[in-house]
C-alpha cells in the first residue's frame, strides 16, 4: 500500500504525470479484477457449502435415519404381532405394513438423492436386498405362527432379527455416516475458506480504494482540481461494494452456521433418539417373545435407552426435567441424545418439547420395569398385554407420546433449518452478476475520469 501512495507522491520524479495517471488506471483495473475474482470465489464456495449442507447431505442423513425408524418399527410391530395368537393384534399388523411402506418410499428417496457415488449406492443396495430377505423370513415366521408351531416361528424370526441387526440397521447407519462425513468436512473447510476469502476481499478492496484515493489526491495537488466527479463516484462504488460484499457474506455464513450448528445438530440427535427408541421397543418385545435370548434382548434394550438418555443414579427423568426447566441446571452424569439436544437449545418451544420427550421416556421406562417384573413373576400374559397395549399408560402408548414430543422438537429445528438454507441461497442470488457490473462500472468511471486529463498532455 505504501508503494501505491508513493507512486502518486509529488516527490516521485521517475514517472511523468501522464505515466502516473496511466499506471493508476492500470492499477485500478488490476485491483478491481482481483476484488472481482475474490468475491466470486467466496460466493461460489459459500453457495457450494450451503448446497452440501442443505440439499445434498442433510436430506440423505434424515432419510437414513427415517429408514432406521422404519426398519426398527417393522421389527417392533411384527414382534408384537407374534406375541399374541394369530390375527389378534391387528394394530401391530397395520403398524408393520405402514412402516414397510415408509421403508420402501425412503429407499426410493435415498436412491434419488445419491451424491457420493458408491459410498451411498452400496448401503442403499444392501438395504434393498436385505429388506426383501427380511420380509421373506418374517412371512415364514407368520406362517408358522398361524399353524401354532412356536419353535419353527422362533427360528424364522431369529433369522429375520439377525438380518435386521446385522444388515439393515448397519446399512442405514453407513448411509448416515457417509453423508455426515461429507457435511462435516465441507462445513469445516468452508469456515476456513470463508475467513481467508474475507481477508483477500478486504485487502484487494482496500487496495482499490487506496488507488482511487491516491489518484484523486494526485490530481488535486498537481492539477489544482479539487475533485474528479467520476473518480469520486468510482471510489464510492468501491467502498459500497466492499461493504455490501462483506455484510452479505457474513450474513450468509451466519445462516449456514444456524442451519448446521443450531438446527441440524439438534435434528440429527433427535432422529437418533427416535430410531433408538424404536430399536429399544423391538428389544422389549423380543424379550417376551424369545425367552432363550431374553438376557441378550434385555441388555440391548438398556443399551439403546442409555444412548437416548443415560440417567445417573439418584436421578429420574422427571427430576432432571425439573432441574432443566426451573433452574436451567445441567445434571452431572446425564448423557445421551436428549442431553445433547438440551445442550443445544436455541429456538422458542424447543426446550419444552425436549423436556416433554424426556418425561415420556421416563414413564416408558417405568412401564418397562413393570413388564419385566410381571415376566419374572410368571405373569407372562399380563406382561405381554402391557407390552403390546396401545391404551393410556401402556408401553406402546407411551412410546407414541415420546415420539410426538420428539417430532415436535424436530419440526421446530427443521423449520429453522429450511429457512436458514433458503435465506443463505437468497443472499447470494445473482451476486456474481452484481459484482461484475459494479467492478466494470467503477473501472469505466475511472477511465472516463482520467481520459480528459490524459488528453490535456497529448495536445
Amino acid at each position: 500500500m505504501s508503494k501505491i501512495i508513493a507512486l502518486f507522491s509529488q516527490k516521485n520524479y521517475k514517472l511523468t504525470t501522464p505515466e502516473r495517471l496511466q499506471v493508476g488506471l492500470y492499477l485500478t483495473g488490476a485491483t478491481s479484477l482481483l476484488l472481482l475474482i475474490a468475491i466470486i470465489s467466496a460466493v461460489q464456495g459459500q453457495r457450494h457449502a450451503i448446497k452440501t449442507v442443505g440439499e445434498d447431505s442433510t436430506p440423505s442423513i434424515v432419510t437414513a435415519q427415517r429408514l432406521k425408524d422404519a426398519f426398527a418399527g417393522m421389527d417392533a410391530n411384527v414382534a408384537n404381532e407374534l406375541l399374541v395368537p394369530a390375527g389378534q393384534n391387528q394394530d401391530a399388523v397395520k403398524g408393520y405394513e405402514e412402516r414397510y411402506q415408509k421403508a420402501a418410499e425412503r429407499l426410493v428417496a435415498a436412491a434419488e438423492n445419491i451424491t457420493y457415488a458408491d459410498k451411498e449406492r452400496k448401503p442403499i443396495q444392501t438395504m434393498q436386498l436385505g429388506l426383501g430377505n427380511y420380509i421373506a423370513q418374517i412371512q415364514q415366521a407368520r406362517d408358522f405362527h398361524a399353524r401354532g408351531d412356536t419353535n419353527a416361528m422362533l427360528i424364522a424370526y431369529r433369522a429375520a432379527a439377525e438380518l435386521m441387526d446385522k444388515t439393515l440397521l448397519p446399512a442405514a447407519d453407513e448411509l448416515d455416516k457417509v453423508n455426515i462425513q461429507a457435511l462435516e468436512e465441507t462445513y469445516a473447510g468452508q469456515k476456513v475458506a470463508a475467513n481467508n476469502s474475507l481477508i483477500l476481499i478486504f485487502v484487494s478492496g482496500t487496495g482499490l480504494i487506496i488507488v482511487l484515493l491516491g489518484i484523486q489526491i494526485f490530481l488535486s495537488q498537481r492539477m489544482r482540481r479539487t475533485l474528479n466527479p467520476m473518480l469520486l463516484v468510482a471510489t464510492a462504488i468501491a467502498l459500497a461494494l466492499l461493504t455490501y460484499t462483506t455484510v452479505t457474506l457474513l450474513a450468509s455464513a451466519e445462516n449456514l452456521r444456524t442451519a448446521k450448528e443450531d438446527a441440524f445438530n439438534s435434528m440429527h440427535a433427535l432422529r437418533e433418539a427416535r430410531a433408538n427408541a424404536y430399536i429399544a421397543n423391538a428389544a422389549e418385545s423380543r424379550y417376551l417373545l424369545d425367552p432363550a435370548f431374553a438376557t441378550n434382548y434385555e441388555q440391548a434394550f438398556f443399551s439403546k435407552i442409555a444412548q437416548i438418555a443415560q440417567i445417573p443414579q439418584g436421578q429420574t427423568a422427571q427430576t432432571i426435567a425439573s432441574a432443566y426447566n426451573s433452574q436451567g441446571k445441567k445434571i452431572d452424569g446425564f448423557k445421551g441424545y436428549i442431553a445433547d439436544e438440551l445442550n443445544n437449545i436455541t429456538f422458542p418451544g424447543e426446550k419444552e418439547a425436549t423436556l416433554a420427550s424426556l418425561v415420556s421416556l421416563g414413564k416408558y421406562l417405568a412401564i418397562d420395569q413393570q413388564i419385566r417384573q410381571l415376566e419374572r413373576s410368571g405373569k407372562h400374559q399380563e406382561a405381554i398385554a402391557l407390552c403390546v397395549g396401545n391404551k393410556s399408560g401402556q408401553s406402546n402408548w407411551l412410546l407414541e407420546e415420546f415420539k410426538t414430543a420428539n417430532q415436535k422438537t424436530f419440526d421446530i429445528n427443521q423449520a429453522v433449518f429450511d429457512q436458514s438454507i433458503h435465506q443463505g441461497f437468497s443472499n447470494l442470488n445473482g451476486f456474481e452478476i452484481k459484482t461484475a457490473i459494479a467492478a466494470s462500472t467503477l473501472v469505466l468511471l475511472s477511465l472516463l475520469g482520467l481520459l480528459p486529463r490524459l488528453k490535456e498532455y497529448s495536445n
Side-chain angles (χ1 to χ4, degrees):
M1 297 303 175
S2 60
K3 292 182 178 180
I4 294 175
I5 295 172
L7 175 66
F8 298 105
S9 171
Q10 291 279 25
K11 297 180 181 180
N12 188 341
Y13 300 109
K14 294 182 181 180
L15 297 175
T16 64
T17 295
E19 287 174 337
R20 281 190 243 183
L21 292 178
Q22 288 176 347
V23 171
L25 191 58
Y26 296 149
L27 284 175
T28 300
T31 51
S32 297
L33 180 60
L34 180 60
L35 177 60
L36 177 62
I37 292 171
I39 291 174
I40 290 176
S41 176
V43 168
Q44 291 181 343
Q46 188 79 333
R47 187 181 288 116
H48 171 70
I50 294 172
K51 183 177 184 297
T52 298
V53 172
E55 296 183 353
D56 296 337
S57 295
T58 297
S60 292
I61 291 165
V62 173
T63 297
Q65 290 300 314
R66 285 177 170 164
L67 276 165
K68 199 172 174 181
D69 285 357
F71 293 152
M74 288 174 66
D75 194 51
N77 277 291
V78 80
N80 287 341
E81 177 189 347
L82 297 175
L83 275 170
V84 300
Q88 291 189 14
N89 193 345
Q90 290 304 309
D91 287 339
V93 174
K94 181 180 178 182
Y96 174 86
E97 294 301 329
E98 287 176 350
R99 303 316 298 168
Y100 167 66
Q101 182 67 30
K102 293 294 184 183
E105 292 172 358
R106 287 161 187 168
L107 275 171
V108 172
E112 290 177 343
N113 195 41
I114 291 176
T115 308
Y116 307 110
D118 284 347
K119 289 182 178 180
E120 287 184 279
R121 190 174 291 109
K122 287 181 178 179
I124 291 171
Q125 290 173 343
T126 297
M127 285 185 280
Q128 288 174 330
L129 294 172
L131 182 59
N133 293 332
Y134 174 83
I135 291 170
Q137 291 293 341
I138 289 299
Q139 189 55 53
Q140 285 187 27
R142 282 173 156 176
D143 292 341
F144 288 126
H145 183 54
R147 297 173 196 163
D149 190 342
T150 302
N151 288 334
M153 178 272 288
L154 285 175
I155 291 171
Y157 177 74
R158 287 168 188 164
E162 185 174 11
L163 281 167
M164 177 62 64
D165 297 342
K166 296 183 178 180
T167 300
L168 291 173
L169 296 178
D173 282 335
E174 181 62 24
L175 181 61
D176 175 89
K177 180 181 176 182
V178 167
N179 284 277
I180 281 284
Q181 183 177 355
L183 184 150
E184 294 290 354
E185 289 177 354
T186 299
Y187 181 69
Q190 179 56 25
K191 286 178 71 175
V192 175
N195 290 333
N196 293 338
S197 295
L198 284 172
I199 292 172
L200 181 57
I201 289 169
F202 178 78
V203 170
S204 57
T206 302
L208 173 60
I209 292 170
I210 290 174
V211 169
L212 291 170
L213 289 175
I215 297 172
Q216 186 77 259
I217 293 169
F218 176 76
L219 289 174
S220 177
Q221 292 177 344
R222 177 59 62 90
M223 300 182 175
R224 301 185 184 281
R225 290 178 172 84
T226 305
L227 291 174
N228 184 305
M230 294 294 187
L231 288 177
L232 185 63
V233 174
T235 304
I237 291 175
L239 182 59
L241 177 60
L242 179 60
T243 302
Y244 178 61
T245 299
T246 302
V247 170
T248 300
L249 287 175
L250 287 174
S252 182
E254 177 58 19
N255 280 311
L256 180 59
R257 189 205 65 77
T258 298
K260 166 59 176 70
E261 297 182 18
D262 293 340
F264 171 77
N265 286 354
S266 290
M267 290 163 61
H268 191 255
L270 291 163
R271 294 308 310 191
E272 286 282 6
R274 182 184 174 96
N276 278 280
Y278 270 116
I279 297 170
N281 187 246
E284 181 183 69
S285 298
R286 290 180 183 183
Y287 168 81
L288 299 176
L289 179 65
D290 194 353
F293 294 95
T295 301
N296 293 342
Y297 294 137
E298 185 174 38
Q299 291 174 351
F301 175 87
F302 286 112
S303 173
K304 291 302 176 182
I305 291 296
Q307 291 181 42
I308 301 169
Q310 184 174 321
I311 298 173
Q313 288 186 350
Q315 297 286 346
T316 66
Q318 185 61 60
T319 61
I320 293 173
S322 297
Y324 271 92
N325 193 40
S326 61
Q327 307 167 29
K329 181 181 178 182
K330 296 181 181 180
I331 303 299
D332 292 338
F334 177 49
K335 302 176 182 178
Y337 295 121
I338 293 180
D340 293 342
E341 165 58 5
L342 285 171
N343 292 333
N344 197 41
I345 296 295
T346 312
F347 313 118
E350 189 176 4
K351 182 175 77 170
E352 292 78 7
T354 304
L355 292 177
S357 71
L358 176 60
V359 172
S360 296
L361 183 67
K363 294 177 181 177
Y364 177 78
L365 288 173
I367 293 299
D368 176 78
Q369 188 62 32
Q370 291 181 36
I371 292 170
R372 297 183 196 280
Q373 289 173 351
L374 288 169
E375 180 68 7
R376 293 184 185 116
S377 300
K379 299 177 181 179
H380 184 64
Q381 292 305 318
E382 292 179 37
I384 289 175
L386 192 56
C387 176
V388 304
N390 294 303
K391 295 179 181 178
S392 177
Q394 294 181 315
S395 181
N396 287 339
W397 184 87
L398 286 166
L399 178 65
E400 289 300 320
E401 190 176 74
F402 168 82
K403 286 162 49 185
T404 298
N406 175 279
Q407 187 64 45
K408 183 177 180 181
T409 317
F410 183 88
D411 289 343
I412 290 170
N413 283 277
Q414 179 77 68
V416 175
F417 178 87
D418 291 342
Q419 176 60 30
S420 298
I421 293 297
H422 173 77
Q423 188 59 49
F425 277 127
S426 181
N427 289 339
L428 303 178
N429 279 346
F431 208 89
E432 293 93 335
I433 296 175
K434 296 175 187 176
T435 303
I437 292 173
S440 300
T441 300
L442 70 86
V443 170
L444 179 60
L445 288 171
S446 300
L447 179 63
L448 293 175
L450 290 180
L451 277 178
R453 307 289 80 79
L454 290 169
K455 286 182 179 178
E456 292 177 7
Y457 285 90
S458 64
N459 294 330

